[in-house]
Amino acid sequence: MTLLIGANVSMKGKAMFPGAVAEAVSYGATTLQFYTGAPQNTRRKDVSEMRIPEGLAAMAAGGLSHLVIHCPYIVNLGNTKKPENYPFAVQFMQGEVARAEALHAYTMPFHPGAHVGAGPQAAIAQIAKGLNEILTPNQQVTIALETMAGKGTEVGRTFEELAEIIDQVDLADKLRVCMDTCHMSDAGYPVATDFDSVLNEFDHLVGLDKLSVIHINDSKNPQGAHKDRHTNIGFGTLGFDALNAIVHHPQLKAIPKILETPYVGPEDQRLNPPYGVEIEWLKTGQFHPEALDALRVAKP
């Protein structure tokens, strides 16, 4: 089975979907992830402008599959303190599902939200309520609740919280989970030292059949820090060996793995994407940190 490994790429400008695919191909990827627009706002182009037939043809020609569309993190379905924001959040997510369907996407990682002081139970109930309005019986794309680091008042920092949301959603067959290695470690799970126990706990509480995608990120912080600061593969507290083992884990062969590590460049200017280098490391199982060091001093 082909290793499903890719990175978060950009769909923008005139190139749109075919441009995102070309970027992924340049990294040696076999899958890819992108946002339908800037993640920090809700401005979106119409699907007619995304060059979808060309993008799908480029994916087929490049041997890519399992397109992942990341929902913008600006949407907070869990905020019960500002009920006036809830209708727009639901409406926007309905539009995101429609865009993902038009793009023939496989799954959609989604940050569940934050309770902003009202408590996790209030947020969980409202997130489930929102998903009940967003999900439809005929949609093909699934929404993947992402494991969160637990910074601030984030919901989804434990598998139990994700299971509670899923249990309250009528069309739970349209829901999946996106694991993030950095987030899970920062939330307190022993990703670096005992990933099999993490996987077993997830299987017991949520079910491995609910796992649709894994974000492969190293962490700048120690286990349990609740910080959520991604760093490059092998340069953080998880380390290359642990992340490489997850990428090649026999129970996860059919799951796409997506890199969201930071760009690198001279004097901490984040100019150069690391993904071609990191994907090669993970394909071969060989860690060559000097390859990334070269990008740190290279001009884009």
Side-chain angles (χ1 to χ4, degrees):
M1 179 180 289
T2 301
L3 176 65
L4 290 171
I5 185 76
N8 189 75
V9 297
S10 296
M11 185 180 74
K12 61 184 180 182
K14 293 182 179 179
M16 296 307 287
F17 191 2
V21 175
E23 183 183 348
V25 168
S26 76
Y27 301 144
T30 54
T31 185
L32 73 162
Q33 171 184 285
F34 56 75
Y35 293 84
T36 63
Q40 67 270 24
N41 67 50
T42 56
R43 294 191 298 273
R44 294 294 182 268
K45 288 188 176 182
D46 190 82
V47 293
S48 63
E49 300 180 56
M50 294 181 181
R51 300 175 61 188
I52 292 173
E54 295 166 81
L56 293 172
M59 280 188 66
L64 278 74
S65 65
H66 295 75
L67 172 62
V68 179
I69 300 295
H70 203 307
C71 300
Y73 41 74
I74 196 170
V75 173
N76 182 10
L77 280 181
N79 187 352
T80 60
K81 291 200 166 186
K82 290 188 175 180
E84 66 274 15
N85 293 348
Y86 174 80
F88 177 77
V90 169
Q91 181 184 29
F92 179 77
M93 280 298 297
Q94 289 169 334
E96 280 290 89
V97 170
R99 284 182 282 274
E101 286 279 274
L103 287 157
H104 295 213
Y106 156 71
T107 198
M108 302 174 65
F110 174 62
H111 293 189
H115 64 72
V116 297
Q121 292 306 311
I124 285 168
Q126 182 161 285
I127 292 165
K129 177 187 174 186
L131 289 168
N132 279 328
E133 296 181 46
I134 294 161
L135 297 168
T136 63
N138 296 325
Q139 73 182 69
Q140 298 300 308
V141 67
T142 57
I143 291 180
L145 303 172
E146 188 164 338
T147 58
M148 303 308 295
K151 70 179 187 294
T153 65
E154 284 179 339
V155 174
R157 60 184 174 179
T158 67
F159 299 153
E160 286 90 347
E161 288 185 345
L162 296 177
E164 282 188 64
I165 295 170
I166 294 168
D167 286 346
Q168 294 180 40
V169 172
D170 298 331
L171 296 175
D173 62 312
K174 305 298 181 183
L175 279 184
R176 295 292 187 271
V177 170
C178 168
M179 283 186 168
D180 185 300
T181 54
C182 170
H183 296 177
M184 289 190 296
S185 178
D186 278 29
Y189 290 98
V191 174
T193 57
D194 193 5
F195 182 70
D196 279 340
S197 74
V198 177
L199 212 55
N200 288 336
E201 184 175 349
F202 179 84
D203 192 26
H204 176 71
L205 293 169
V206 180
L208 273 177
D209 61 315
K210 283 291 187 187
L211 182 61
S212 64
V213 60
I214 304 175
H215 288 160
I216 302 292
N217 300 301
D218 215 328
S219 176
K220 285 189 174 184
N221 296 100
Q223 181 181 327
H226 303 296
K227 295 288 187 182
D228 186 9
R229 295 188 68 199
H230 299 187
T231 195
N232 296 99
I233 303 301
F235 287 82
T237 57
L238 301 184
F240 176 78
D241 289 343
L243 293 170
N244 186 60
I246 292 169
V247 166
H248 294 279
H249 197 287
Q251 289 180 272
L252 306 175
K253 286 182 178 179
I255 306 297
K257 292 92 180 175
I258 300 290
L259 296 165
E260 298 177 320
T261 50
Y263 278 32
V264 297
E267 300 177 359
D268 289 330
Q269 298 175 56
R270 295 184 177 182
L271 303 173
N272 301 311
Y275 304 128
V277 168
E278 293 178 330
I279 286 173
E280 180 65 17
W281 292 343
L282 293 168
K283 280 183 172 180
T284 62
Q286 300 295 317
F287 179 50
H288 298 289
E290 68 278 3
L292 202 63
D293 290 339
L295 282 179
R296 294 186 195 281
V297 297
K299 293 183 178 180

